[in-house]
Amino acid sequence: MKTATSNTKAALLLLGASLDVLHQESREWLENIAFWKDETKFFANLLNKDENKTSEYSEMLKNLDKIHENLFDYLEDDIKQHERLLSRLLKGQKGLSDGDYREKHRSLGERMDLFTNNFREFKKMVFGYVKKF
């Protein structure tokens, strides 16, 4: 399901948003990932409470937390690589295409939207579990 935000992003790409706008969006993605990493640390602390340690469900949530943390790193690395590509593009390095950069940006935006939705579901699961205690 596409959100209004993702539709706006797609429209910006189609309308030829400036590279500055795309750069700013990439910076926002990196800020979101940094925030989510902090949130997962909070969740890990929450799930590591003594009363939760024996639960099989708690173990599953801990593993999900580790998976999310690893996904953060991959996504973050891809965005940083994307930003380096932008730098090379702005310097006029031969063999680079503005269109390729924009397509990669669109793809990263879709990944961020999907991850945002998945992470929201993960948080609901954690909070639902913790409310039981």
Side-chain angles (χ1 to χ4, degrees):
M1 182 172 113
K2 296 247 179 196
T3 62
T5 304
S6 65
N7 288 337
T8 302
K9 291 175 189 175
L12 281 174
L13 291 172
L14 291 174
L15 294 174
S18 76
L19 293 175
D20 287 338
V21 170
L22 302 181
H23 167 68
Q24 181 57 38
E25 188 172 42
S26 295
R27 301 304 306 161
E28 289 173 11
W29 293 340
L30 291 171
E31 290 171 8
N32 286 340
I33 290 170
F35 178 73
W36 292 335
K37 282 183 174 182
D38 286 341
E39 277 190 311
T40 59
K41 290 175 188 171
F42 169 76
F43 295 145
N45 289 335
L46 196 59
L47 295 171
N48 281 327
K49 289 185 175 180
D50 287 340
E51 68 266 14
N52 296 340
K53 284 187 178 178
T54 60
S55 168
E56 187 176 311
Y57 189 65
S58 176
E59 288 301 314
M60 180 185 73
L61 289 176
K62 287 179 200 176
N63 289 331
L64 281 174
D65 180 54
K66 289 176 187 174
I67 291 168
H68 274 94
E69 191 172 325
N70 289 330
L71 286 173
F72 288 140
D73 292 338
Y74 288 121
L75 193 52
E76 183 178 36
D77 288 345
D78 288 348
I79 294 168
K80 286 179 180 178
Q81 183 180 22
H82 182 61
E83 283 290 284
R84 287 189 292 274
L85 175 62
L86 173 61
S87 176
R88 292 178 18 231
L89 184 65
L90 291 174
K91 289 177 183 175
Q93 185 174 338
K94 293 192 187 293
L96 298 179
S97 163
D98 181 83
D100 290 344
Y101 175 81
R102 290 174 186 278
E103 177 57 31
K104 178 68 175 174
H105 192 86
R106 184 197 58 73
S107 175
L108 282 169
E110 288 175 357
R111 287 175 59 197
M112 280 297 294
D113 288 343
L114 179 63
F115 192 83
T116 299
N117 292 334
N118 289 340
F119 192 65
R120 236 182 247 132
E121 290 302 313
F122 171 72
K123 288 172 26 175
K124 286 179 189 176
M125 190 177 2
V126 170
F127 290 134
Y129 175 72
V130 172
K131 281 183 184 178
K132 293 178 184 178
F133 294 96

